[in-house]
Amino acid sequence: MPSDDDLALADEVSGQLIRLVRLMERKHAQYQADHPDAVERATYLLLVHLVKDGPRRAGTLAEAVHSDPSTISRQVAHLVRLGLVERTTDPEDGRATLLVATDEGRRVFEENRRVRIERIAEMLDDWPVEDRRKLAELLARFTTDFANNALKPRPAEAPPAPPVEATAGGSRSLPG
């Protein structure tokens, strides 16, 4: 069982993570407002997977991003309309369709990646190199542990014991 100090530190980390996510959401919303053709973050994640992992079937893509096929279908349709993804016949099974990032999709991915990396480099520019390395190391460790912990089934918690009523002859449990 974690100590009170462990829980207080976890609360501080949790609070900072919540703050970071909110700041990122706000920044993304501002970007969306400034760029009407921008792709939603969840939809962009599909493009990222297709660029990094290569052509995939929609079902495999849905599994990779932990989403349901109907959501993926709608998001892929949007990427196809934008010319960032195309549907092709699966060479191994002519009845199936593969989703493939287009040249434009790869260009958009690389441009977004470049801008993100440059912004982070600018933010960290006045940090000592060792601090930047340590941040990268700790973030990698944290995200790995987070992913692994999220995949573990949590043990079922025991229901709370019924309240005990004091009686003259001892104590007895009250009915729930």
Side-chain angles (χ1 to χ4, degrees):
M1 175 137 234
S3 70
D4 287 346
D5 286 345
D6 292 337
L7 293 173
L9 186 55
D11 185 40
E12 187 177 331
V13 169
S14 175
Q16 290 302 320
L17 286 171
I18 289 167
R19 180 175 172 234
L20 177 61
V21 168
R22 286 183 180 153
L23 288 167
M24 291 172 69
E25 288 172 346
R26 190 175 315 139
K27 184 74 172 173
H28 186 74
Q30 183 61 50
Y31 182 83
Q32 291 281 105
D34 292 344
H35 301 87
D37 294 338
V39 178
E40 290 179 8
R41 189 174 41 220
T43 303
Y44 181 74
L45 180 61
L46 301 181
L47 179 62
V48 170
H49 276 270
L50 292 172
V51 169
K52 288 184 162 191
D53 302 331
R56 304 180 119 185
R57 290 184 183 185
T60 305
L61 190 57
E63 289 173 13
V65 298
H66 310 289
S67 190
D68 64 279
S70 64
T71 300
I72 295 298
S73 177
R74 184 173 17 86
Q75 292 169 331
V76 166
H78 183 65
L79 290 170
V80 168
R81 278 192 304 278
L82 293 173
L84 304 177
V85 169
E86 63 185 1
R87 292 181 175 94
T88 62
T89 303
D90 185 339
E92 295 178 15
D93 179 356
R95 300 167 295 168
T97 301
L98 289 179
L99 302 169
V100 181
T102 63
D103 289 342
E104 178 64 5
R106 284 188 288 281
R107 187 199 65 74
V108 166
F109 165 78
E110 289 299 334
E111 177 65 14
N112 278 283
R113 182 172 182 251
R114 182 189 62 73
V115 168
R116 182 184 71 243
I117 290 169
E118 286 175 357
R119 285 187 178 162
I120 290 174
E122 288 170 9
M123 260 191 327
L124 300 177
D125 189 46
D126 62 343
W127 287 34
V129 173
E130 189 53 39
D131 286 356
R132 289 182 259 170
R133 285 191 180 114
K134 191 66 171 177
L135 175 63
E137 176 188 325
L138 291 172
L139 275 174
R141 182 175 164 193
F142 181 82
T143 54
T144 298
D145 287 351
F146 186 90
N148 291 338
N149 190 285
L151 298 175
K152 282 189 217 172
R154 294 200 54 139
E157 293 184 17
V164 176
E165 176 185 346
T167 63
S171 62
R172 65 183 172 99
S173 293
L174 296 174

